[in-house]
Amino acid sequence: YGTFYDCESYSEAVTRVVLRYANPKDADKIKETLNKYNLILQYEKGTKKIEFEARIKGKNGKYVWYHINVVLTCEERSTDIYAYFYATDIQERMSEKESLSKAATTDGLTGLLNKVTTLDIIDKQIKFGGALFIIDVDNFKHVNDNYGHATGDLILKAIAEQIQYTFRKDDILGRYGGDEFIAFIPSKNITIDR
């Protein structure tokens, strides 16, 4: 990753590391945590170890999740405070966590939000207003009975794709049940022409 011997200060080195390697979504958290004055304050409060997770750019240019430990210690003779950093690659664990989270919130067939997640999000958003759509596919049982469930599944996937195409990315779209779908447009997404 290179050296930072040419940096004139600790703060410059941290800023350079963050700019070069940190995922922009984690940059502020890293800068705040590793801020020299924050580390001194933490040490004075008795904190000897700080831990956090962040995405750092790897040698291949892709961001990888790391668990970062900062160990704070003081040199007895000079009372200088030292911070030792070490990081552990936790990409596999974070990927599994993300997969589990996605599986718990999405409908396995259509990729839309599942019923529980959809209703939970709408329940939190509806107090701000919006438009709610219940989309029910008429006579869908006929499709399954005459053409089989595999064909029915393909049709449900196609309907879900059309719903995603019709609504905006930040609208709440979910599968309510077998052949029922829900779409909720939060009031912030609604424009009224007058």
Side-chain angles (χ1 to χ4, degrees), residues 41 48-49 59 78 88 112 121-122 136 162 168 170 186:
L41 179 66
K48 303 290 188 233
K49 185 177 181 182
K59 291 182 180 179
S78 68
T88 306
L112 296 176
I121 294 171
I122 290 172
D136 182 36
Q162 188 60 46
R168 291 167 283 217
D170 51 350

Side-chain angles (χ1 to χ4, degrees), residues 10-11 14 31-41:
Y10 168 81
S11 297
V14 168
K31 281 194 274 190
E32 287 171 21
T33 304
L34 300 183
N35 176 287
K36 176 171 86 173
Y37 301 106
N38 177 56
L39 294 177
I40 292 168
L41 179 66

Side-chain angles (χ1 to χ4, degrees), residues 112-116 118-119 122 131-136 163 167 171-177 179-185:
L112 296 176
L113 295 173
N114 64 27
K115 178 180 179 177
V116 172
T118 303
L119 294 177
I122 290 172
L132 178 67
F133 297 83
I134 306 288
I135 303 160
D136 182 36
I163 289 170
F167 291 89
D171 293 336
I172 297 145
L173 310 174
R175 184 172 175 206
Y176 187 74
D179 63 354
E180 296 174 318
F181 299 87
I182 295 179
F184 181 74
I185 303 173

Side-chain angles (χ1 to χ4, degrees), residues 15-162:
T15 300
R16 190 182 298 181
V17 167
V18 168
L19 289 174
R20 280 192 194 171
Y21 303 113
N23 184 307
K25 294 177 182 175
D26 298 325
D28 287 340
K29 172 176 62 174
I30 295 170
K31 281 194 274 190
E32 287 171 21
T33 304
L34 300 183
N35 176 287
K36 176 171 86 173
Y37 301 106
N38 177 56
L39 294 177
I40 292 168
L41 179 66
Q42 293 301 321
Y43 183 81
E44 289 173 350
K45 286 167 82 177
T47 303
K48 303 290 188 233
K49 185 177 181 182
I50 299 170
E51 299 178 66
F52 64 97
E53 295 172 347
R55 289 158 288 195
I56 306 295
K57 191 181 295 182
K59 291 182 180 179
N60 63 1
K62 294 183 180 177
Y63 291 108
V64 176
W65 277 103
Y66 282 94
H67 182 86
I68 300 165
N69 293 277
V70 183
V71 179
L72 302 172
T73 187
C74 182
E75 186 180 84
E76 289 179 26
R77 285 180 257 149
S78 68
T79 67
D80 288 340
I81 298 171
Y82 290 90
Y84 297 94
F85 303 89
Y86 62 96
T88 306
D89 181 335
I90 58 167
Q91 181 63 42
E92 189 174 318
R93 180 174 60 114
M94 294 303 276
S95 294
E96 287 174 13
K97 184 178 173 183
E98 188 177 302
S99 294
L100 288 172
S101 176
K102 185 173 182 177
T105 60
T106 57
D107 175 65
L109 177 66
T110 63
L112 296 176
L113 295 173
N114 64 27
K115 178 180 179 177
V116 172
T117 304
T118 303
L119 294 177
D120 185 50
I121 294 171
I122 290 172
D123 187 51
K124 291 173 184 164
Q125 293 284 324
I126 204 155
K127 61 186 164 198
F128 302 111
L132 178 67
F133 297 83
I134 306 288
I135 303 160
D136 182 36
V137 182
D138 289 335
N139 301 315
F140 193 74
K141 184 180 180 328
H142 174 74
V143 172
N144 281 334
D145 290 346
N146 291 313
Y147 302 101
H149 288 279
T151 301
D153 288 351
L154 289 173
I155 292 171
L156 288 173
K157 287 179 187 178
I159 292 168
E161 287 175 13
Q162 188 60 46

